[in-house]
């Protein structure tokens, strides 16, 4: 039955669900601000856009054209659907029409976004009545097409990975492109953060170096969602100052943004109704009213669980099959394009996605976004909410909070969300491991000259080191690559390993590939005996072949999914800084993180209860990164009036709460930080699942009497990006805010909103955590004699 969106929103706000709504904010519509066509613009280009119904520009589009054509590099940060594409297409196409030798590179973080842009360009190019060629060049480009792209393309649409491994190392085949390179467009700048952004900044350094070798000096046009530091991030990525344009002239329809906190169902334990069935309920309300809806989930498994449950409520007849689809990393490209096309054409009414659709893939007009759990950052929340609604009409976004402390903080303190600026985009291009990788790649591409820098970085010591390693030779004032291997092919921009696992369905007589899983996620998603869910269909993992990077699965029909159990332990490699804080020693430095999947739990659909478990034997993964940690001395441990096991429960409660407090302090996604309890030697680990953590001693089987517990918060990215150093400096403030969080929580013995679920951290965890934090804060504040 069709119900209009306004009526449905009114019934939600004023009905039983309204009692649990903590924020209801209506963002008013915005009128457009127009600007005339630039005088210098090619008449043919203006006529082409007018043929498409664009008779004037928005003010920010005209400003970008003026700045860029006057020789400035520009970053534009305006909301979703504000016409950012025209901001860069206009000057690029104008330059090509005025000089057919002009060339441009468009960089998008995903292949899907690149394909969208090619489709956009191919709609306008025929109207130009001139020979302009725009092609995608990515991993899906057939071999026979690649030569045509190199020889004919005015605009090469690609992604950083392909630029890094498929274009720069083979620059001699792209001489026409690099000799005439006038523009480089970098879209979705906010996606370039952390390790990925640090890699991309070095790829741009290599690109500039090659362009300079061929005599070109391209200008940069960057676009981004709203972040706290767009000008700073853009300058770090491209290595030069940029102008910022952040006022949008585009119109915007009315939007309602609501926060919903599921009701408490067990007062003593502080347990709320699970956010998953609540999100399913909201999505079903809208979809059953024929309202186009997108549901965002924080993890791949959650995406599949939500999809399964929503389909049961919405697809009630065979004719309705396919009205709701899933979308996440791991689906094959052809399947993703099919889903995107269905959304644009309206044959798909709803989609359940990870943040894969947070970026600007063209999926048509959606009316509602349901966010199943806080996405982790203010920026991501606005991005996901912005996927619903376009330039006119009412739209809505509803955030359904989980019991996690960060979710609870946001929905209980909506002023924090609405009053804070979005997060900073942080990168560290000088990270030694990342930088050394790109010095290798750059040396392969062109010999380094003595005293030549890569960007602003002195490479002398690294070049000497690489000569000692036998991959460079110094002769005639230059450093030449001498190794047989091809360095870019072994360096992934996004993860520890570039090797994805493919998922092979062996149900039928003929095997077929149904998906892929990245190397890092494979042990938790496709371990043997796991239930792998692909667009709502369940498969049992029969075999995981690590050497061949394949998982073999068979279709099943069962009523549970699996949740991997991971052991994590941390070993200190080197302490860079140390200071006392009361009785504890606070440090910052380099660590080695060990993770290993050792088992799994079976979680029943509908009720989400644990109905069994199993063991898994997989290799251990290692990651070098940076960490902040503090050590509680054994003398203090011995003086406390708690049994050893109960004390560990209290420490687990502290690290659980501290992890979430640290994410708020840094304004980062909690998944960017790892947190664990252990010791300096890495001989003690904790068990981790989606639900929480629980202590497990390792090798020795029991804690020694002189055990000195160490609480670690580490950058959950190889090499680190600077988070932990900020936490080291703010240790005392973090302790006080952690204590405040635990004290303020109304539960009795602990809950997911403060120290963690009681069945994981114990019934005494909250009391002991509060007592221990009181002691640590009091001691650190006491004057020293």
């Amino acid at each position: 039955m069709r119900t209009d969106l306004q009526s449905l929103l009114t019934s939600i706000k004023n009905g039983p669900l309204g009692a649990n709504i903590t924020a209801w904010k209506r963002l008013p519509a915005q009128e457009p601000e127009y600007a005339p066509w630039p005088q210098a613009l090619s008449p043919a280009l203006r006529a082409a856009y007018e043929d498409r119904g664009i008779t004037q520009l928005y003010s920010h589009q005209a400003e970008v054209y003026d700045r860029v054509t006057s020789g400035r590099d520009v970053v534009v940060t305006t909301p979703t659907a504000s016409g950012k594409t025209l901001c860069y297409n206009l000057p690029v196409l104008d330059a090509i029409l005025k000089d057919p030798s002009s060339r441009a590179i468009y960089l998008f973080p995903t292949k899907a976004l690149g394909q969208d842009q090619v489709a956009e360009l191919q709609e306008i190019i025929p109207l130009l009545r001139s020979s302009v060629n725009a092609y995608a060049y990515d991993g899906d480009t057939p071999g026979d097409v690649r030569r045509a792209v190199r020889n004919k393309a005015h605009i090469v649409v690609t992604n950083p990975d392909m630029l890094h491994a498929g274009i720069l190392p083979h620059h001699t085949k792209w001489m026409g492109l690099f000799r005439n390179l006038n523009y480089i467009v970098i879209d979705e700048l906010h996606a370039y953060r952390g390790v990925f952004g640090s890699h991309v900044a070095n790829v741009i350094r290599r690109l500039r170096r090659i362009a300079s070798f061929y005599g070109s000096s391209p200008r940069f046009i960057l676009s981004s969602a709203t972040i706290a530091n767009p000008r700073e991030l853009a300058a770090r990525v491209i290595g030069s100052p940029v102008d910022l344009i952040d006022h949008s002239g585009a119109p915007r329809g009315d939007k309602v943004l609501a926060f919903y906190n599921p009701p408490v169902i067990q007062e003593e334990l502080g347990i709320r109704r699970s956010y998953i069935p609540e999100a399913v309920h909201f999505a079903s309300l809208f979809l059953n009213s024929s309202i186009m809806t997108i549901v965002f989930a924080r993890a791949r498994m959650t995406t599949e669980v939500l999809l399964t449950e929503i389909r049961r409520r919405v697809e009630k007849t065979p004719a309705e099959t396919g009205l709701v689809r899933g979308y996440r990393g791991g689906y094959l490209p052809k399947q993703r394009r099919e889903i995107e096309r269905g959304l644009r054409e309206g044959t798909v009414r709803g989609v359940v996605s990870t943040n894969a659709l947070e970026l600007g893939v063209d999926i048509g007009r959606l009316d509602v976004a349901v966010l199943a759990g806080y996405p982790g950052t203010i920026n991501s929340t606005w991005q996901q909410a912005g996927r619903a609604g376009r330039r006119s009409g009412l739209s809505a976004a509803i955030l359904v909070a989980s019991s996690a402390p960060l979710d609870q903080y946001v929905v209980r303190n909506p002023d924090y969300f609405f009053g804070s600026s979005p997060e900073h985009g942080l990168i560290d291009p000088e990270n030694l491991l990342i930088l050394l990788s790109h010095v290798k790649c750059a040396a392969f591409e062109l010999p380094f000259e003595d005293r030549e820098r890569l960007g602003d970085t002195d490479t002398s010591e690294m070049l000497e080191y690489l000569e000692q390693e036998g991959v460079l030779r110094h002769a005639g004032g230059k450093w030449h690559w001498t190794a047989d291997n091809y360095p870019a092919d072994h360096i992934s921009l996004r993860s520890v390993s570039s090797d994805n696992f493919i998922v092979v369905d062996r149900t039928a007589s003929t095997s077929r590939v149904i998906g892929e899983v990245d190397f890092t996620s494979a042990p938790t998603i496709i371990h043997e005996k796991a239930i792998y869910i692909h667009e709502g269909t369940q498969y049992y993992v029969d075999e995981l072949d690590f050497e061949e990077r394949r998982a073999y699965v068979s279709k099943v029909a069962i009523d549970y999914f699996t949740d991997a159990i991971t052991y994590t332990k941390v070993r200190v490699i080197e302490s860079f800084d140390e200071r006392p804080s009361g009785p504890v020693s606070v440090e910052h430095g380099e660590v080695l993180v060990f993770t290993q999947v050792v088992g799994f739990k079976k979680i029943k659909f509908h009720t989400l209860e644990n109905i069994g478990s199993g063991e898994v034997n997989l290799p251990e993964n290692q990651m070098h990164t940076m960490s902040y940690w503090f050590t509680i001395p054994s003398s203090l441990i011995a003086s406390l009036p708690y049994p050893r096991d109960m004390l560990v429960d209290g420490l687990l409660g502290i690290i659980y709460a501290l992890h979430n407090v640290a994410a708020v302090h840094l304004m980062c996604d909690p998944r960017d930080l790892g947190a664990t309890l252990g010791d300096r030697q890495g001989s003690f680990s904790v068990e981790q699942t989606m639900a929480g953590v629980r202590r497990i001693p390792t090798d020795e089987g029991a804690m020694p009497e002189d055990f000195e517990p160490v609480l670690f918060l580490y950058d959950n990215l190889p090499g680190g990006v600077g988070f932990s150093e900020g936490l080291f400096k703010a240790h005392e403030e973090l302790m006080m805010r952690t204590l405040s969080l635990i004290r303020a929580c109304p539960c009795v013995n602990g809950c997911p909103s403060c120290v963690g679920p009681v069945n994981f951290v114990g019934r005494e965890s909250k009391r002991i955590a509060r007592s221990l934090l009181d002691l640590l804060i009091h001691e650190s504040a006491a004057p020293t004699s």
Side-chain angles (χ1 to χ4, degrees):
M1 182 181 70
R2 174 79 190 185
T3 304
D4 72 274
L5 180 56
Q6 180 59 68
S7 300
L8 198 51
L9 290 174
T10 300
S11 68
I12 289 171
K13 184 179 181 183
N14 297 331
L17 292 171
N20 293 98
I21 291 173
T22 63
W24 187 277
K25 193 172 184 68
R26 194 174 189 110
L27 307 175
Q30 178 178 297
E31 294 299 317
E33 293 179 21
Y34 292 112
W37 292 101
Q39 291 288 331
L41 188 70
S42 163
L45 184 56
R46 173 176 173 173
Y49 277 110
E50 287 179 338
D51 284 349
R52 293 191 65 197
I54 300 173
T55 57
Q56 51 191 330
L57 299 179
Y58 296 131
S59 56
H60 63 282
Q61 295 170 335
E63 187 176 0
V64 170
Y65 179 89
D66 290 342
R67 299 279 186 97
V68 169
T69 54
S70 64
R72 305 289 297 175
D73 294 328
V74 169
V75 57
V76 55
T77 61
T78 54
T80 303
S82 59
K84 287 194 285 285
T85 299
L86 190 67
C87 288
Y88 47 78
N89 279 347
L90 200 67
V92 169
L93 291 172
D94 186 50
I96 295 168
L97 289 173
K98 292 173 179 175
D99 176 8
S101 68
S102 179
R103 297 291 185 268
I105 293 174
Y106 283 19
L107 284 180
F108 295 88
T110 67
K111 288 186 286 188
L113 287 167
Q115 296 285 353
D116 273 358
Q117 182 52 227
V118 172
E120 170 82 14
L121 286 165
Q122 288 176 347
E123 287 183 9
I124 191 69
I125 284 174
L127 303 176
L128 297 175
R129 297 174 177 85
S130 182
S131 180
V132 178
N133 298 310
Y135 297 107
Y137 193 84
D138 57 34
D140 296 335
T141 305
D144 57 339
V145 176
R146 295 189 178 196
R147 178 175 294 181
V149 177
R150 290 195 294 267
N151 295 335
K152 297 180 180 180
H154 292 90
I155 302 172
V156 177
V157 180
T158 188
N159 52 68
D161 313 83
M162 199 66 178
L163 179 64
H164 155 68
I167 296 177
L168 297 182
H170 309 291
H171 58 86
T172 55
K173 296 180 180 180
W174 295 85
M175 288 190 289
L177 172 69
F178 288 114
R179 282 174 178 163
N180 300 286
L181 188 58
N182 279 341
Y183 287 107
I184 298 171
V185 171
I186 302 178
D187 197 19
E188 307 285 356
L189 172 69
H190 56 280
Y192 300 109
R193 63 183 186 88
V195 170
F196 181 44
S198 303
H199 273 296
V200 171
N202 280 290
V203 171
I204 297 301
R205 290 171 171 179
R206 290 161 49 203
L207 172 57
R208 278 185 178 272
R209 184 170 179 257
I210 289 173
S212 177
F213 176 78
Y214 287 101
S216 64
S217 181
R219 279 159 288 173
F220 287 82
I221 308 172
L222 305 97
S223 72
S224 174
T226 303
I227 56 176
N229 62 333
R231 181 186 279 120
E232 175 194 347
L233 179 60
R236 291 276 279 166
V237 169
I238 72 170
S240 61
V242 300
D243 289 355
L244 171 65
I245 296 172
D246 57 1
H247 177 73
S248 173
R252 184 186 66 212
D254 282 325
K255 181 184 287 290
V256 169
L257 181 56
F259 290 174
Y260 177 84
N261 202 11
V264 174
I265 55 176
Q266 288 190 35
E267 290 284 350
E268 182 184 356
L269 299 179
I271 295 176
R272 295 182 177 274
R273 187 178 297 159
S274 170
Y275 73 102
I276 291 178
E278 298 290 273
V280 168
H281 179 65
F282 276 110
S284 302
L285 276 178
F286 295 117
L287 289 166
N288 284 324
S289 297
S290 299
I291 294 171
M292 296 282 286
T293 302
I294 184 169
V295 181
F296 281 104
R298 291 185 295 198
R300 279 169 281 203
M301 180 58 73
T302 312
T303 299
E304 297 292 352
V305 172
L306 284 165
L307 176 63
T308 301
E309 295 300 319
I310 291 170
R311 278 181 164 171
R312 284 176 175 164
R313 294 190 179 206
V314 175
E315 298 179 355
K316 298 171 184 174
T317 67
E320 293 173 311
T321 300
L323 280 179
V324 186
R325 302 293 298 269
Y327 192 102
R328 59 171 175 80
Y331 288 7
L332 298 177
K334 183 179 179 181
Q335 186 179 16
R336 293 199 299 268
R337 300 297 91 77
E338 174 200 333
I339 296 165
E340 293 160 14
R341 185 170 57 253
L343 286 164
R344 288 194 297 270
E345 296 173 353
T347 57
V348 174
R349 187 186 301 166
V351 63
V352 185
S353 175
T354 58
N355 61 0
L357 282 179
E358 183 179 307
L359 301 176
V361 177
D362 182 11
I363 52 173
R365 187 188 188 281
L366 298 165
D367 299 302
V368 173
V370 176
L371 282 57
Y374 180 58
T377 66
I378 294 171
N379 172 45
S380 288
T381 304
W382 282 116
Q383 278 290 102
Q384 293 182 10
R387 294 303 270 158
R390 288 290 167 172
R391 294 172 185 167
S392 62
L394 177 66
S395 63
I398 297 177
L399 167 61
V400 181
S402 77
S403 295
L406 186 54
D407 288 48
Q408 290 300 305
Y409 182 83
V410 169
V411 296
R412 292 175 182 175
N413 301 276
D415 289 345
Y416 162 79
F417 177 87
F418 291 109
S420 298
S421 68
E423 294 78 9
H424 288 72
L426 300 177
I427 62 172
D428 181 16
E430 281 71 43
N431 176 294
L432 185 58
L433 294 175
I434 293 173
L435 184 59
L436 184 63
S437 297
H438 289 279
V439 169
K440 289 180 183 178
C441 296
F444 176 89
E445 291 153 5
L446 291 170
F448 273 95
E449 297 184 1
D450 286 343
R451 295 179 296 280
E452 182 182 349
R453 305 172 78 85
L454 186 63
D456 293 330
T457 304
D458 182 1
T459 61
S460 302
E461 290 186 9
M462 282 179 279
L463 295 173
E464 291 174 2
Y465 167 76
L466 292 174
E467 184 182 35
Q468 294 170 10
E469 291 293 303
V471 297
L472 291 185
R473 181 173 60 86
H474 186 234
K478 293 186 177 182
W479 301 81
H480 300 266
W481 184 261
T482 59
D484 293 331
N485 65 334
Y486 163 42
D489 200 37
H490 302 285
I491 298 166
S492 169
L493 303 188
R494 301 174 191 256
S495 62
V496 180
S497 171
S498 58
D499 297 330
N500 283 353
F501 285 72
I502 62 171
V503 182
V504 181
D505 177 15
R506 298 194 297 197
T507 306
S509 56
T510 303
S511 298
R512 65 187 183 101
V513 176
I514 60 171
E516 60 182 3
V517 178
D518 65 273
F519 181 89
T520 305
S521 304
T524 59
I525 294 176
I526 50 173
H527 59 78
E528 291 180 4
K529 307 178 202 172
I531 300 301
Y532 172 74
I533 310 179
H534 190 92
E535 241 213 310
T537 302
Q538 296 164 295
Y539 297 87
Y540 181 85
V541 180
D542 301 303
E543 180 185 353
L544 177 61
D545 188 331
F546 248 85
E547 289 187 5
E548 296 295 324
R549 301 291 192 258
R550 286 172 175 257
Y552 296 98
V553 302
S554 302
K555 192 178 294 187
V556 293
I558 50 180
D559 63 349
Y560 70 87
F561 59 95
T562 50
D563 176 17
I565 300 170
T566 305
Y567 285 180
T568 301
K569 58 185 179 181
V570 178
R571 179 183 302 160
V572 175
I573 302 298
E574 183 179 0
S575 177
F576 297 152
D577 207 348
E578 180 178 2
R579 61 183 175 85
S581 179
V584 306
S585 173
V586 184
E587 297 177 71
H588 167 254
E590 182 183 359
V591 297
L592 186 59
V593 179
F594 301 87
T595 57
Q596 184 177 22
V597 174
V598 296
F600 61 92
K601 297 175 188 267
K602 298 178 181 179
I603 310 297
K604 188 177 179 66
F605 280 113
H606 314 304
T607 63
L608 303 181
E609 61 184 307
N610 182 354
I611 58 171
S613 62
E615 294 184 357
V616 176
N617 183 23
L618 288 177
E620 188 175 67
N621 287 330
Q622 300 181 12
M623 175 179 71
H624 281 270
T625 189
M626 306 301 292
S627 181
Y628 138 77
W629 67 89
F630 60 95
T631 306
I632 302 176
S634 57
S635 57
L636 178 61
I637 295 293
S639 69
L640 295 171
Y642 306 116
R644 188 64 58 89
D645 284 356
M646 288 175 58
L647 179 62
V648 170
D649 289 345
L651 292 170
L652 283 173
I654 291 175
I655 196 68
Y656 181 95
L658 177 61
H659 181 195
N660 289 277
V661 166
V664 174
H665 175 80
L666 292 172
M667 295 185 71
C668 74
D669 190 322
R671 290 168 291 191
D672 290 338
L673 292 173
T676 196
L677 171 67
D679 59 8
R680 296 180 70 93
Q681 292 75 39
S683 59
F684 182 82
S685 70
V686 295
E687 174 189 292
Q688 298 181 319
T689 70
M690 287 196 302
V693 297
R694 181 164 62 88
R695 175 205 28 102
I696 295 289
T698 56
D699 307 328
E700 290 76 19
M703 292 173 291
E705 285 300 316
D706 59 351
F707 172 64
E708 293 192 324
V710 181
L711 286 78
F712 293 95
L713 276 179
Y714 55 88
D715 292 20
N716 202 18
L717 300 160
V721 290
F723 290 138
S724 58
E725 186 175 6
L727 298 177
F728 167 76
K729 294 175 181 177
H731 170 77
E732 287 77 13
E733 179 186 352
L734 293 172
M735 291 294 99
M736 289 188 286
R737 291 175 68 176
T738 302
L739 178 59
S740 296
L741 170 70
I742 296 172
R743 281 177 171 169
C745 189
C747 72
V748 177
N749 295 318
C751 71
S753 300
C754 58
V755 296
V758 168
N759 58 322
F760 276 87
V761 296
R763 296 185 66 85
E764 298 298 318
S765 177
K766 182 173 183 178
R767 178 175 69 89
I768 296 171
R770 190 169 52 206
S771 175
L772 188 53
L773 283 168
D774 266 327
L775 175 64
L776 297 179
I777 291 168
H778 175 76
E779 293 274 346
S780 65
T784 55
S785 56

